[in-house]
Amino acid sequence: MSEKFVKIQSLQTGSFTTTNNRVDFIIPASFGKVSLRDSFVEINCSISFTPDTNNGVPLTMLRWVNDAGATQTNHFPNVAIVRNAHISPANKGMIESVRRVDVLRSNLYKARKSITGIRSDNYLNANSLKSLQNETQYGIFQDINKTGTINSRTNPNTPIMVSLSDILDFCDADVVDMGSLGDVRVSLELNVKNLAVVETNNAVLTGSDGVEEDTAGLPKNITSITLSGDYAQDGDCPYYVGQSVRLTATVNATGGGGGGAGQTSDFSISSIARSDDGTITISSATTIFPLTAGHGGMTFGGGEGLSARPATNLAFDLNLAQLVVKQLPESVEAPSTLLYHQFDTFELNGNGLTSYSDVVEINGGAVMAMVMVKNGSTGLEARYDDLNSIEFSLNNVPLTDNRPIVPYSPLYYDRQVSALSTADYLVKDLAVPNLFFNTATGFSGQAKGLIPAVPLFRTTMRKNLQIVSEASSGLGQYILYCAIPKSIDM
């Protein structure tokens, strides 16, 4: 048998909502050898909307909504859709169970990837970033045609893919013998309540937003317009075939033509052509403006030009969940022991105290602890600009030689990298940047993520972790994650 991918539908049926938000999959023991690292959860998402009167195709994607119901502009990876996760084989019992996977994995994702690496995932992410080159922004929910006559379209169902290895550490295993584990149950809780649909628009670059005036050969009906910008590449043009737009112009304004400034015409783009010199011609299947003889034709004043028309009543439906498992040939050798890390989760609250201390009893085998102060706006990113310092002690033994960890100091980075390496996580971006889908800039100094972390010595019994912090505005909700090495004999 060669390698193949097999789809397993969830035990629950869609549509998945804020109340029906749990999905379970059973990977049967009969699958033999599988690669969990190359397996992924696939959640089908359909986008609905009310188009404007020209039945255009909008650009849409998912956006984050905090627990209070306020929409946000933060960029998030697909793994943020999973709130809690659990995996348990029939022959081994519970292997790994992690609460607040969304916070843990979203922030580790940014630490373990470079900015370039994060942007390279745009083709997969349900929440996409603007291009740094031309500020265009295309998500996974539409098939967009930049030139020609074929209409763009909204996909009826778009799979949102989340790698199992991004959700659970055990699932980073390249080869697993299902015959040894027995039937494996993967249970997920989805963050449906934290998702919404947003319509995006491509930025019109400065100096390229004009439309050529048309004053010759009157009378005539205008069915096409020429953009005054020079678009060296197809991708530079912010418009696409099938898009609903509005042209605002001064039409038939002289000699008693009955027109004037601020005339509008809404239409759907039926075709786009780009010449070798970068000139873009946009056409409509219907008349844009009728121009009469001797009345000045079509000109443009301040604030006039071409603009996108929005859709309304945007909504999404998660209608199907599947687990796509990579099945391997039986000849592939599986390891006799698998090593991984279990992350214990402690959701805590500083209650707004500027000087805060707490003692948490943790597993004696924990080799690393990290604190993620949830961003007050999103509740997802680990970011808190008002944290002045934090100290960790274990069983009354200071872990930083009685030195407070000041955010973004050499000691902060030293302990963070050392702690994550104990859990076999390589840090590629010390900034852990907070990115935003509505801006083309990478990140600023005020948008750095904050993950204070320390390596821990192991003990035979449970141990006490002391946390002391100083925060100018008081410490709010935060999550403590402790990594515990685990092994399982196959």
Side-chain angles (χ1 to χ4, degrees), residues 353-410:
L353 297 175
T354 55
S355 296
Y356 168 81
S357 63
D358 198 1
V359 178
V360 183
E361 185 179 288
I362 63 175
N363 190 292
V367 296
M368 180 266 281
M370 58 183 170
V371 167
M372 295 186 182
V373 182
K374 294 191 293 183
N375 180 282
S377 298
T378 67
L380 182 67
E381 284 80 19
R383 177 184 173 191
Y384 187 53
D385 297 335
D386 293 328
L387 183 69
N388 300 324
S389 66
I390 188 168
E391 293 184 68
F392 297 91
S393 300
L394 192 61
N395 289 346
N396 292 319
V397 178
L399 298 177
T400 54
D401 302 324
N402 289 316
R403 293 179 295 167
I405 297 176
V406 177
Y408 316 123
S409 66

Side-chain angles (χ1 to χ4, degrees), residues 423-442:
D424 297 326
Y425 287 97
L426 176 65
V427 177
K428 291 187 176 180
D429 194 335
L430 293 174
V432 193
N434 291 177
L435 301 177
F436 304 90
F437 71 77
N438 62 337
T439 175
T441 56

Side-chain angles (χ1 to χ4, degrees), residues 86 93 95 136 143 166 173 178 211 269 329 334 393 410 456 458 460 490:
H86 176 99
I95 291 181
T136 56
D143 290 333
D166 287 344
M178 297 300 299
V211 179
I269 298 175
S393 300
L456 306 174
R458 303 181 70 175
T460 56
M490 305 295 289

Side-chain angles (χ1 to χ4, degrees), residues 26-91:
I26 302 294
I27 308 175
S30 60
F31 271 31
K33 309 288 180 56
V34 302
S35 172
L36 294 180
R37 178 183 298 170
D38 294 332
S39 301
F40 55 91
V41 177
E42 184 179 88
I43 304 170
N44 278 5
C45 179
S46 64
I47 301 292
S48 61
F49 55 89
T50 301
D52 75 332
T53 55
N54 294 286
N55 206 33
V57 177
L59 293 176
T60 59
M61 66 180 183
L62 296 186
R63 75 184 307 172
W64 192 257
V65 179
N66 66 17
D67 289 340
T71 56
Q72 305 296 311
T73 59
N74 59 309
H75 170 66
F76 59 91
N78 288 349
V79 71
I81 297 174
V82 179
R83 186 178 184 89
N84 304 313
H86 176 99
I87 183 169
S88 54
N91 297 342

Side-chain angles (χ1 to χ4, degrees), residues 275-474:
S275 63
D276 292 339
D277 64 359
T279 300
I280 294 288
T281 301
I282 292 176
S283 299
S284 167
T286 58
T287 298
I288 300 174
F289 284 120
L291 303 183
T292 54
H295 298 130
M298 180 179 70
T299 60
F300 296 92
E304 295 182 332
L306 193 63
S307 60
R309 294 284 294 153
T312 56
N313 299 321
L314 299 166
F316 72 96
D317 179 25
L318 304 180
N319 52 61
L320 178 67
Q322 301 178 113
L323 180 62
V324 183
V325 179
K326 184 179 181 180
Q327 200 171 1
L328 303 173
E330 280 302 312
S331 58
V332 174
E333 184 176 353
S336 59
T337 302
L338 290 176
L339 306 177
Y340 64 100
H341 286 83
Q342 156 77 31
F343 282 89
D344 282 357
T345 307
F346 302 87
E347 296 188 73
L348 305 169
N349 197 327
N351 295 314
L353 297 175
T354 55
S355 296
Y356 168 81
S357 63
D358 198 1
V359 178
V360 183
E361 185 179 288
I362 63 175
N363 190 292
V367 296
M368 180 266 281
M370 58 183 170
V371 167
M372 295 186 182
V373 182
K374 294 191 293 183
N375 180 282
S377 298
T378 67
L380 182 67
E381 284 80 19
R383 177 184 173 191
Y384 187 53
D385 297 335
D386 293 328
L387 183 69
N388 300 324
S389 66
I390 188 168
E391 293 184 68
F392 297 91
S393 300
L394 192 61
N395 289 346
N396 292 319
V397 178
L399 298 177
T400 54
D401 302 324
N402 289 316
R403 293 179 295 167
I405 297 176
V406 177
Y408 316 123
S409 66
L411 180 61
Y412 164 82
Y413 291 119
D414 174 80
R415 289 298 187 267
Q416 181 195 76
V417 173
S418 178
L420 288 172
S421 67
T422 62
D424 297 326
Y425 287 97
L426 176 65
V427 177
K428 291 187 176 180
D429 194 335
L430 293 174
V432 193
N434 291 177
L435 301 177
F436 304 90
F437 71 77
N438 62 337
T439 175
T441 56
F443 64 94
S444 65
Q446 287 71 43
K448 291 181 180 179
L450 181 65
I451 308 177
V454 287
L456 306 174
F457 56 83
R458 303 181 70 175
T459 61
T460 56
M461 302 178 65
R462 294 185 67 83
K463 53 197 177 189
N464 292 325
L465 179 68
Q466 295 97 7
I467 303 171
V468 178
S469 71
E470 297 291 333
S472 54
S473 298

